[in-house]
Each structure stands twice: as C-alpha cells, then as structure tokens.
C-alpha cells in the first residue's frame, strides 16, 4: 500500500503493509518527504479500529510523535 500525507509542515509519501498485532490490524510503514525544504524520512504504524486509527510517527535520527486519525 502507498499514499501521501501532510503532518504539520512535514509532507511526503509512505509505503507499507498490513500486519496483525495482538489480533488487531495494523499498518506498518516507512516514509520520505520534506520538512519545509529539508529532506526527512522515517517509519511508523497505525492501528485501525473502525473509523478511527491511532499510531506513532518516527523521524530517522530525530523526533517521534503519537497520532490519531478519523476517517472523513
């Protein structure tokens, strides 16, 4: 699976696959893009529960952040 994202000032493309973790579907991914004009990359995961998802977003050699999403 592949897609694009915008996370604050960070935008990029991601690629990943669905896994099963603790009997729940989870999307594990790697990503690359830009933070303003600086190239950045990382990895992350989303655990899906109906119309909602929770996960974690990691920058290689840098910050990390939790995230929540609702399908629109």
């Amino acid at each position: 699976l592949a897609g694009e994202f915008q996370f604050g000032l960070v935008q990029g493309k991601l690629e990943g696959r669905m896994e099963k973790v603790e009997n729940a579907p989870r999307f594990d991914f790697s990503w690359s893009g830009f933070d303003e004009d600086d190239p950045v990359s990382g990895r992350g995961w989303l655990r899906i529960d109906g119309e909602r998802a929770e996960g974690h977003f990691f920058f290689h050699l840098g910050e990390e952040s939790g995230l929540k999403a609702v399908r629109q």
Side-chain angles (χ1 to χ4, degrees):
L1 300 170
E4 297 180 354
F5 68 92
Q6 174 101 29
F7 184 63
L9 296 175
V10 179
Q11 60 185 8
K13 296 184 179 191
L14 57 86
E15 185 272 326
R17 62 182 169 182
M18 295 300 295
E19 301 283 344
K20 221 173 215 200
V21 177
E22 298 174 4
N23 289 325
R26 187 172 98 171
F27 180 61
D28 290 321
F29 61 89
S30 60
W31 63 271
S32 63
F34 292 90
D35 183 357
E36 296 186 57
D37 291 328
D38 298 323
V40 289
S41 62
R43 64 183 176 84
W45 58 268
L46 282 174
R47 183 167 291 137
I48 300 160
D49 183 14
E51 298 296 311
R52 301 183 181 276
E54 291 187 355
H56 220 83
F57 196 87
F58 300 89
F59 287 78
H60 288 308
L61 302 173
E63 305 275 329
E64 63 181 78
S65 178
L67 65 98
K68 293 182 180 183
V70 177
R71 185 183 303 235
Q72 295 184 339

